[in-house]
Each structure stands twice: as structure tokens, then as C-alpha cells.
Amino acid sequence: MAKRGRKNKYETVILPRLNEIKELIKQGYTDKEVAEKIGVSYTTWKTHKRKIPSFSSLIQESREIPIKNIEDSLYLQALGFTKTVKKAMKLKEVQYDNGKRLKEIERVEYYDEEIYIPPSVSAGQFLLKNWARDKYSNNPAELEVKKEELEHKRENEI
């Protein structure tokens, strides 16, 4: 027998706007901001996210592209890179006739300049701490324990 009564917010508000929700998440909006934009309370949003696996998966999949973009950007920042930027230059042309100023013309010309962005130490540290957790950590005690584990493994292999 079909469930009777009124439909919940997932069926009336969220489900019809799934494409809009995916786009907002891809643009970097938080769950709370998306819920506010589509007109549901954050509590309702969290409830449906927890109870409906397909909705939770949609949110997670929508975040994969921005997360990959951030990872790529952090990687570039950690290494340093060159970038071409468009700049503007104001040029002034003054015309004279027998030493007398006749007219002045100003114009803006655009040009490309290649600039070097030096490596970011903080981006490098962040990536190493997250991509190579076994070697880099904020916790010296944790690193010491890992070194001892490694030594113990090496001793047992011999």
C-alpha cells in the first residue's frame, strides 16, 4: 500500500532541483549554503543526506571536480610556476608644431607578461602531510612511533 499524506521536502524541493544542487556544489557552495539557496533548513538537508544514500552520493560526486581542481592548484603552488598575465599600459602622444603643443592623445595598450610565481612552502607542507602521512606529520611523537615501527619491521625481515 502506498504511503499517504503529504510529501516531504526531499520530494517537493530537493528532488526537482538536483541539477541546480550539483552545480552549486561544483561551484564550491557549502551544504548549508545550498540548503539555504534551495529553501530547506540545514537540519532537513542533513537528515535527507543521511537517510538517502543516492542523495549523499550525488553530493560527494559533485565535490570531486572542485577537490581535484584544488589539489592541482596546490600542487602547482608547491612547485612554483610561470603564468602569462594581461597588463595595460597608458601611452601618451603629444603633437607639436614649431614648439607649440597642438594636441595630446592618450591610449591604452594591452600586452602579455610572463610572471613567475615562486613555490609556496605552506602548500608543499600541506600536500606532504596529506599525501605522505607516513613520512610527514605535525606530531613528532607520531613520527617517532612510526620510525620505531619501521625499524622493528626491518629487524624482523633480516
Side-chain angles (χ1 to χ4, degrees):
M1 184 178 242
K3 184 178 170 185
R4 297 185 142 212
R6 67 179 195 179
K7 294 181 177 183
N8 63 27
K9 289 280 187 180
Y10 181 78
E11 295 167 340
T12 60
V13 178
I14 295 174
L15 201 54
R17 297 175 78 180
L18 286 179
N19 287 334
E20 179 184 352
I21 290 168
K22 287 194 305 191
E23 285 307 310
L24 290 170
I25 292 170
K26 286 178 183 177
Q27 292 172 19
Y29 286 88
T30 65
D31 283 0
K32 195 171 194 174
E33 292 168 332
V34 175
E36 184 179 306
K37 281 192 171 288
I38 65 167
V40 296
S41 74
Y42 184 51
T43 304
T44 300
W45 175 274
K46 290 189 302 187
T47 299
H48 293 307
K49 184 177 165 183
R50 185 180 70 246
K51 289 185 176 181
I52 304 170
S54 61
F55 182 53
S56 180
S57 294
L58 175 123
I59 292 169
Q60 188 60 39
E61 289 168 10
S62 298
R63 285 209 168 87
E64 288 176 6
I65 292 171
I67 288 170
K68 178 68 176 136
N69 291 341
I70 290 169
E71 286 177 346
D72 293 346
S73 178
L74 276 170
Y75 183 75
L76 280 176
Q77 288 181 19
L79 298 176
F81 59 99
T82 57
K83 181 177 182 166
T84 302
V85 293
K86 190 169 276 303
K87 291 193 170 186
M89 179 187 326
K90 188 186 282 188
L91 299 173
K92 198 182 280 191
E93 183 182 325
V94 181
Q95 294 178 355
Y96 294 95
D97 185 27
N98 292 331
K100 183 179 178 188
R101 186 182 201 150
L102 291 178
K103 68 178 179 179
E104 187 175 299
I105 302 169
E106 279 189 6
R107 70 180 189 279
V108 176
E109 284 195 13
Y110 296 92
Y111 64 98
D112 291 336
E113 182 177 322
E114 194 168 282
I115 60 171
Y116 176 67
I117 311 294
S120 165
V121 173
S122 58
Q125 289 173 335
F126 179 82
L127 289 176
L128 289 173
K129 287 177 189 174
N130 286 282
W131 288 359
R133 286 188 178 119
D134 56 328
K135 293 181 181 177
Y136 303 94
S137 172
N138 276 342
N139 185 346
E142 182 182 336
L143 276 176
E144 198 56 43
V145 168
K146 287 183 180 187
K147 284 179 186 177
E148 289 174 10
E149 287 175 2
L150 182 61
E151 287 176 26
H152 183 69
K153 283 182 185 178
R154 287 182 182 159
E155 288 172 4
N156 288 337
E157 288 175 358
I158 296 175

